Amino acid sequence: MTIRAVVWGENIHERTNQVVAGIYPEGMHATIADALRLDPEISVSWATLEQPEHGLPADRLAQTDVVVWWGHKDHGAVADEVVERVARRVWQGMGLIVLHSGHFSKIFKTLMGTPCTLKWREAGERERLWVTSPNHPIAAGISEYFELENEEMYGEQFAVPEPLETVFISWFQGGEVFRSGLTWRRGAGNIFYFRPGHETYPTYHDANVQKVLRNAVKWAHNPQGSHPAILDAPNVPVEKALEPITERGGKLHAAGEAGFR
């Protein structure tokens, strides 16, 4: 089964910063998409902030298995209705991979329910990513650790909910450490946060990073498909109760009437 992935990119720095444009002349989203295409089991397209509905209309999301999300400069420009649309699809079973500064994106904070804050320093430090769960599918084919010569430092405390799994932990030259590969499940959807990816460094050209991203898309994919009923809250009539019951007391809703939301 082909996994249908959409890479979402803010696409601002690539058009406004010469350093970023030199590293990602076609856009970071295009580089990430090209890396995913190296796996024949993944079908990839991309979307960007400036497109109508940010490139994520309802009909497109309905045909998407996994979204890969990168944003930084203008998280606030993402329309709330698009955030709600993406969240609903995750609850229904769509996978979501959030990259680097996407920790402050509306969609990630919505699904985490926490501030998602952290320490940071932009100094081009060496990052050593240690594999803490070597049998995890996201770490398949990765050695005990790998290094990125230049990266932005993220440091603990990372204000997110306790994850299901910690796949990577990073160490930086300045001494800080960070839980840099974390998984969660929200509703029927799988979520993976992966830390590396500062735009002024060629992180998404790195072979190990690209392999992690391909692994993550395949892990986040839900082969059982969408579970739309998770969003329902049906009013079950008395006569359809599994065991015979007698209705008692007052009530707010007529038979079959939808509940308050």
Side-chain angles (χ1 to χ4, degrees):
M1 178 184 297
T2 301
I3 301 170
R4 302 164 298 181
V6 173
V7 178
W8 190 91
E10 198 175 60
N11 196 34
I12 295 178
H13 291 294
E14 300 96 314
R15 296 179 293 140
T16 60
N17 183 289
Q18 291 184 350
V19 174
V20 181
I23 299 171
Y24 300 106
E26 303 300 322
M28 298 174 71
H29 53 279
T31 299
I32 294 169
D34 287 344
L36 297 181
R37 288 192 187 98
L38 295 177
D39 192 315
E41 296 182 19
I42 304 174
S43 171
V44 191
S45 60
W46 51 259
T48 55
L49 177 66
E50 73 272 15
Q51 295 175 330
E53 300 184 77
H54 312 316
L56 299 173
D59 56 349
R60 185 179 191 184
L61 283 174
Q63 301 300 316
T64 299
D65 298 312
V66 179
V67 167
V68 181
W69 191 283
W70 193 99
H72 189 186
K73 183 176 175 59
D74 204 0
H75 297 305
V78 180
D80 290 343
E81 57 266 29
V82 174
V83 175
E84 174 68 16
R85 186 183 300 159
V86 175
R88 289 170 65 90
R89 283 287 296 123
V90 172
W91 296 330
Q92 291 175 335
M94 185 183 75
L96 178 67
I97 298 167
V98 177
L99 303 176
H100 192 60
S101 45
H103 70 91
F104 268 156
S105 64
K106 286 183 178 181
I107 183 59
F108 191 61
K109 291 196 291 185
T110 294
L111 292 168
M112 294 296 105
T114 57
C116 302
T117 49
L118 46 80
K119 296 176 183 176
W120 64 280
R121 178 173 55 242
E122 191 179 18
E125 300 170 54
R126 181 181 303 114
E127 177 179 7
R128 182 175 297 139
L129 292 100
W130 289 92
V131 177
T132 56
S133 185
N135 292 325
H136 198 284
I138 293 176
I142 302 296
S143 299
E144 184 180 21
Y145 69 87
F146 67 93
E147 294 184 348
L148 300 170
E149 186 59 34
N150 300 108
E151 253 298 348
E152 180 182 21
M153 182 278 290
Y154 279 6
E156 295 288 344
Q157 182 191 7
F158 188 18
V160 292
E162 190 67 22
L164 288 175
E165 303 137 319
T166 300
V167 185
F168 301 101
I169 289 179
S170 290
W171 168 89
F172 295 89
Q173 279 184 285
E176 291 86 359
V177 297
F178 190 77
R179 293 168 293 160
S180 52
L182 305 175
T183 72
W184 296 268
R185 180 167 294 114
R186 292 294 182 265
N190 295 317
I191 301 172
F192 177 59
Y193 173 79
F194 190 45
R195 197 220 70 83
H198 190 59
E199 53 268 43
T200 60
Y201 310 122
T203 298
Y204 293 121
H205 293 289
D206 181 86
N208 285 304
V209 170
Q210 291 186 358
K211 185 164 189 59
V212 169
L213 294 178
R214 290 191 294 271
N215 289 345
V217 166
K218 297 172 82 169
W219 169 85
H221 173 233
N222 181 357
Q224 296 179 344
S226 183
H227 179 48
I230 198 170
L231 300 176
D232 297 339
N235 181 347
V236 181
V238 170
E239 62 272 15
K240 290 190 177 180
L242 294 178
E243 303 292 341
I245 57 173
T246 300
E247 188 172 326
R248 300 183 294 179
K251 59 183 184 179
L252 293 173
H253 299 93
E257 183 181 10
F260 300 120
R261 292 207 186 193

